[in-house]
Amino acid sequence: MSSLQEIKFTEEIILDVTRHTPKLLTFTISRPETYRFSAGQFSRLGFRDGNGYIWRAYSIMSAEYSDILEYFAVLIPDGPMSAYFMQMKAGDTILLDKNATGFLLPERFIDGRELIMLCTGSGIAPFLSILEQPEVWQKFERLVLVHSVSYAEELIFRNRLDELADHPLVGEYFTKFSFLPVLTREKNDGVLHKRLPELLTGGQLSEALELPFTPEHTRFMLCGNPAMVKDTFQALLNMGFSMHRNKNPGQILMENGF
């Protein structure tokens, strides 16, 4: 390992691994005192692999002020990173790139009344971090998290979201929050059952939230599988919303899940 490689990452300790289903796990690792990130950004995590390394990007799920780093992973059959995660246990080590990155940051919006966070699968991770930041609750009058998964057993964060009501920093704002689960491969009474782009264009999402979506007031953040992000972005464009850029403010921020 060259000295140049060494200065780009640190070796951290796996503190805890929780396997929620055969393919869904969350884990925490030690956090270097110098590691900085903004809620909504992602880390590069890696392992030594023979004479080289294997790296993948994972959105940070923990709060900016937490003394640990937490992540959510969906295991992929025959995935090289998943092979490591399947065997991973507390006390093992993992490599952490020293620099977090990403632009899925709610503070980039210069205005807006309601923030709608749309995600699939592991794309929920950055929003869990964002929801622990008091600034986002103070900025918007309403916060909505829509999590689309295949099966009900994959909705593993309900308790975590409910516990925000007692969070010491954001609990006082909890009445602003709505969580809307969506299932795509099974049907449950009272749960929406369509892909997110279809729920937007068909009006079911707005109706379920009793909230009209308007370019004037509504801001969207998208994170998840590339097909969802692409199709949802196009649906929003067709509805009159636009991509947010620093020099050309709009209503949409997006990032593919990892």
Side-chain angles (χ1 to χ4, degrees):
M1 181 173 64
S2 71
S3 58
L4 179 60
Q5 288 175 317
E6 286 180 339
I7 65 173
K8 289 184 176 180
F9 63 79
T10 59
E11 188 168 54
E12 302 302 322
I13 304 296
I14 303 293
L15 303 175
D16 178 75
V17 180
T18 301
R19 291 178 168 83
H20 302 273
T21 74
K23 71 173 187 176
L24 303 182
L25 64 85
T26 54
F27 60 97
T28 60
I29 71 173
S30 54
R31 177 179 181 174
E33 290 185 4
T34 57
Y35 192 81
R36 298 290 179 266
F37 72 94
S38 295
Q41 291 190 310
F42 57 86
S43 305
R44 280 208 326 147
L45 301 176
F47 295 96
R48 291 181 173 85
D49 187 43
N51 293 325
Y53 301 88
I54 177 172
W55 293 96
R56 294 290 185 274
Y58 292 89
S59 292
I60 304 165
M61 197 165 70
S62 45
E64 291 179 14
Y65 44 81
S66 176
D67 58 2
I68 55 91
L69 295 171
E70 186 175 13
Y71 304 91
F72 175 32
V74 177
L75 301 181
I76 301 170
D78 301 321
M81 199 72 167
S82 295
Y84 284 94
F85 285 156
M86 287 177 187
Q87 306 298 323
M88 189 169 66
K89 62 185 184 302
D92 290 347
T93 59
I94 193 168
L95 306 179
L96 172 68
D97 191 301
K98 290 183 177 181
N99 297 310
T101 190
F103 301 97
L104 194 70
L105 307 171
E107 60 265 30
R108 292 182 62 202
F109 289 125
I110 60 174
D111 57 10
R113 189 170 64 191
E114 56 260 357
L115 178 64
I116 314 298
M117 297 165 277
L118 304 176
C119 58
T120 55
S122 61
I124 193 175
F127 298 131
L128 294 175
S129 178
I130 287 168
L131 286 169
E132 291 202 57
Q133 295 302 127
E135 295 84 2
V136 74
W137 297 82
Q138 295 161 4
K139 181 179 178 68
F140 294 97
E141 295 180 18
R142 188 164 178 188
L143 297 175
V144 175
L145 176 62
V146 183
H147 190 202
S148 176
V149 297
S150 297
Y151 302 100
E153 68 171 5
E154 297 169 359
L155 295 167
I156 63 174
F157 296 108
R158 285 179 180 268
N159 289 341
R160 184 183 182 123
L161 292 168
D162 288 342
E163 289 169 359
L164 290 173
D166 299 316
H167 193 288
L169 297 181
V170 306
E172 64 181 293
Y173 309 109
F174 188 71
T175 55
K176 295 184 176 186
F177 179 65
S178 300
F179 173 60
L180 191 65
V182 174
L183 301 177
T184 58
R185 295 191 181 179
E186 71 173 340
K187 292 186 177 181
N188 281 16
D189 291 340
V191 179
L192 294 175
H193 175 72
K194 278 186 179 179
R195 293 183 69 233
L196 293 178
E198 297 168 357
L199 292 174
L200 280 167
T201 56
Q204 295 96 327
L205 197 58
S206 176
E207 181 181 351
L209 295 167
E210 299 181 344
L211 178 66
F213 298 151
T214 67
E216 180 183 5
H217 296 302
T218 313
R219 303 295 174 262
F220 291 93
M221 300 179 72
L222 321 177
C223 188
N225 71 70
M228 181 282 287
V229 171
K230 178 178 179 249
D231 293 346
T232 302
F233 177 57
Q234 186 60 56
L236 289 171
L237 291 180
N238 294 342
M239 293 167 63
F241 297 90
S242 63
M243 185 70 176
H244 177 81
R245 304 183 190 282
N246 292 339
K247 294 184 179 180
N248 188 18
Q251 303 85 32
I252 309 167
L253 292 173
M254 60 186 186
E255 190 161 75
N256 290 331
F258 305 101

